[in-house]
Amino acid sequence: CHCVEVFDGMSEQCRGLKCDLTQHLLDYGPRMIYDFLHTESIKDAVEVIHRELKLIFSSHNFCKCGRELMKSFTKCARFYHGNGLMSAMDCADFNTMQTYLR
């Protein structure tokens, strides 16, 4: 997969950041999604996103590796939509394919 190659191309000192972020999402992801889905307004949803991003940036080493991670993410992002559609087509699940097209 192209995305794996892009993220594996990060420097040695910054490879740990993606693991730290993955662990952070495993630890706090369910709470983030719950809080986001139970907001009553767009303003509340933006506040949830702001709070979670602030926690991520303050908890992890974004000063050195954030730029490199974002470069890798943007190089890979153009393939996300195509990969999602391909997975939906493989499953032949019309509802899932509609979700990806939205």
Side-chain angles (χ1 to χ4, degrees):
C1 176
H2 176 74
C3 293
V4 173
E5 292 172 5
V6 169
F7 282 111
D8 283 345
M10 291 175 62
S11 67
E12 286 292 325
Q13 111 185 36
C14 294
R15 285 190 188 164
L17 179 62
K18 65 182 178 177
C19 295
D20 292 343
L21 290 176
T22 302
Q23 186 61 49
H24 182 89
L25 291 175
L26 288 173
D27 293 342
Y28 299 103
R31 187 201 68 212
M32 284 187 256
I33 293 170
Y34 178 84
D35 289 348
F36 183 78
L37 292 176
H38 286 89
T39 58
E40 295 184 12
S41 68
I42 293 175
K43 181 180 178 184
D44 293 341
V46 169
E47 287 177 8
V48 168
I49 293 169
H50 174 73
R51 180 188 71 214
E52 297 303 331
L53 286 175
K54 187 176 177 180
L55 179 64
I56 289 171
F57 277 85
S58 65
S59 302
H60 303 289
N61 185 13
F62 272 89
C63 291
K64 291 184 180 178
C65 300
R67 183 175 183 182
E68 191 173 336
L69 180 72
M70 292 310 289
K71 277 181 153 181
S72 297
F73 180 75
T74 55
K75 282 182 186 177
C76 181
R78 61 186 168 170
F79 297 99
Y80 286 162
H81 191 345
N83 291 340
L85 276 177
M86 192 57 121
S87 295
M89 297 291 270
D90 289 345
C91 296
D93 181 4
F94 187 69
N95 293 331
T96 304
M97 191 168 67
Q98 284 182 327
T99 302
Y100 282 114
L101 289 172
R102 282 188 221 143

